[in-house]
Each structure stands twice: as C-alpha cells, then as structure tokens.
Amino acid sequence: MPQRLDSRNFVVTGGFGALGRAVAERLLAEGARVALLDRAPAPGGLPGGVLAFGGVELGQETACQAAYAQAVEALGAVDGVVNVAGGFTWETVEGGALASWDRMYETNLRSAVASCRAALPHLLAGRNGRTDGRIVNVGAAAAQKAGMGMGAYAASKAGVARLTEALAEELKDRGVTVNAVLPSIIDTPANRADMPDADFSRWVAPDKLAAVIAFLLSDDASALTGASIPVNGRV
Ligand SMILES: NC(=O)c1ccc[n+]([C@@H]2O[C@H](COP(=O)([O-])OP(=O)(O)OC[C@H]3O[C@@H](n4cnc5c(N)ncnc54)[C@H](OP(=O)(O)O)[C@@H]3O)[C@@H](O)[C@H]2O)c1
C-alpha cells in the first residue's frame, strides 16, 4: 500500500456507515490519521485507530462547527475532509411525499455545505505556513441523470455537484481543491439486502471507491479541482 497520506489528518463525515468505514480503512492504510463524524453514537467495530465523534447532526451549524473544533483539536490540524454523509429514498413524484424532497436536501446537500463551511477555517489555516487542503464530496451517478423514483435524491446529489464546482472556484487560488465522486451502486450490506437477486460483482466495491477518494486527497491530485468523477463499477 502506498503511504501517500503519511502524517496527513482527515475528517470523514458519515464515517460510521458502509462507505465511511471503507474510506477510513484506506486512509489509515496510507498512513493518515482519521476522525469520523456521524449522527449516531459511535458503534463498535470501527477501524482501529480512528477518532470517533458521534451524535453530530451535521446540518445544525453550531453542532457541526463544535464537532470540527473537537476533531481538529484531537488531530492537531486537518488537511482534508471527505463528505460521505448522505442517504437515499426511492419515491415517484406523484406517489411520494413533498417532505421527502426537503429530507433529501437536508441529508445530502445541507450536511455537505455545513461540513465544508465548518471545515474551511481549519483547512485555510494550513500547516507550517502552507495551505494544501482537500475536500472530496460523495455525490451520485444520479446527479447526472435521474431514473424513475430518483427525483428527490438526484436533485440533492446534483446540488452536491454544483456545490463542488462553486466551492472549487471560490478556493482555487487559496490552496484547497474540491472534487466529487459520483458512484453508481456501492456494494453495501444494505444494497445486498434490498436487491438480493442482483449481480453484486457489477457494483462498486467500497474499497475501490475509497481508493479513488484517497487519490483525490493525495499530492498526485493537486492539479485537479472542480471535477465530479463517475465511479460506476460495471453498472
Ligand atoms: N450505497 C450506494 O449505493 C450509494 C450510491 C451512490 C451514492 N451513495 C452515497 O454514498 C454515501 C455513503 O453511502 P452509504 O451506503 O455508505 O450510506 P450509509 O451506510 O447510510 O452511511 C451514511 C452515514 O451518514 C450518516 N448521516 C447522514 N446524514 C447525516 C447528517 N445530517 N449528520 C450526520 N450524519 C449523517 C448516516 O447516519 P444515519 O444512518 O443515522 O442516517 C450514516 O451513518 C452517501 O452520501 C450516499 O448517498 C451511496
């Protein structure tokens, strides 16, 4: 395993979920220190060595800022953020609830915006007089084209892609890159339970997606900003 992230510190939101854990494992394996922020109390079975901050509702700005302050104090400094927190719903426009559009916006977009805003003062503070920060947002393939029943989810993930572009422009002369990954279907226990007859081998393995995210956090990706990168597996 390359040690590209040796001595780097990262915050991963949604870090107790399926992808968040895989991202934490990959970053640790590349030599980084990792703090996880999530809504639930910290569960057992997290990767060894992570710092876990549970009970954080990211969309509540004061709570989100307080969690970042705690995480950065524990880490000493932060070099990058991976905004994994999010959720999914399948509802038709006709048969679904109007409130689902608000819920998807809150879960997928507001949480990412709040996390970026809370992270920025820490990222821009840099280290040893040098700013070289990274933000990676987790969008979705549906950000580019919504299928039936995917309206509320896709609209919120399209928002994550637009956030990525706007913030990349805002920060491009200030030493922080901002990119997004757009996964199709991730091979998670929840998806296997929901789609038991599917060919799981076609889906995106969480560790493969984590590898793309690790690249985006590394020096190798320093020239890349404002990109939304499809990670489709064979879907
Ligand atoms: N799974 C897929 O096939 C797929 C495909 C494309 C994109 N994605 C995206 O990839 C990301 C990770 O997916 P996953 O399957 O790993 O999901 P997951 O297992 O549900 O993990 C997401 C985590 O984020 C937390 N979270 C959500 N909103 C939050 C908030 N406002 N404040 C704090 N924590 C919050 C969730 O907590 P709760 O459990 O309490 O809600 C959960 O622990 C999500 O952004 C998802 O939309 C997933």
Side-chain angles (χ1 to χ4, degrees):
M1 182 69 62
Q3 294 292 295
R4 289 181 301 193
L5 305 177
D6 192 26
S7 309
R8 305 280 178 88
N9 299 334
F10 297 103
V11 171
V12 179
T13 74
F16 302 167
L19 177 61
R21 287 172 194 240
V23 169
E25 267 166 26
R26 175 72 193 214
L27 304 190
L28 291 166
E30 290 212 33
R33 294 173 68 221
V34 178
L36 307 181
L37 309 186
D38 209 307
R39 183 150 57 193
L46 292 174
V50 292
L51 298 164
F53 298 89
V56 182
E57 181 54 56
L58 293 162
Q60 290 175 8
E61 191 151 48
T62 309
C64 185
Q65 288 166 340
Y68 265 94
Q70 264 188 299
V72 174
E73 192 181 349
L75 291 168
V78 66
D79 301 292
V81 172
V82 188
N83 288 313
V84 176
F88 178 72
T89 193
W90 192 99
E91 286 184 7
T92 59
V93 175
E94 184 185 20
L98 185 56
S100 301
W101 290 72
D102 295 329
R103 188 164 49 80
M104 282 294 100
Y105 173 93
E106 290 234 11
T107 304
N108 288 320
L109 182 55
R110 185 184 168 96
S111 63
V113 177
S115 171
C116 289
R117 283 169 54 83
L120 271 182
H122 304 290
L123 292 174
L124 291 169
R127 280 222 235 190
N128 309 320
R130 181 167 172 260
T131 301
D132 187 19
R134 297 278 185 274
I135 296 175
V136 178
N137 296 320
V138 177
Q144 296 178 310
K145 172 127 182 34
M148 176 172 160
M150 305 278 271
Y153 172 71
S156 68
K157 289 296 194 181
V160 172
R162 302 292 84 77
L163 161 69
T164 302
E165 292 159 1
L167 191 55
E169 287 297 314
E170 190 174 326
L171 298 176
K172 75 178 174 193
D173 293 322
R174 298 170 74 192
V176 179
T177 68
V178 189
N179 293 291
V181 290
L182 309 182
S184 53
I185 303 176
I186 306 172
D187 185 4
T188 64
N191 280 338
R192 286 188 181 213
D194 287 346
M195 296 174 268
D197 298 330
D199 177 355
F200 309 144
S201 74
R202 304 193 76 82
W203 295 349
V204 182
D207 63 318
K208 298 294 184 203
L209 183 52
V212 176
I213 291 170
F215 160 71
L216 292 171
L217 294 172
S218 75
D219 282 342
D220 293 336
S222 61
L224 186 57
T225 194
S228 288
I229 300 171
V231 185
N232 287 322
R234 293 185 297 125
V235 173

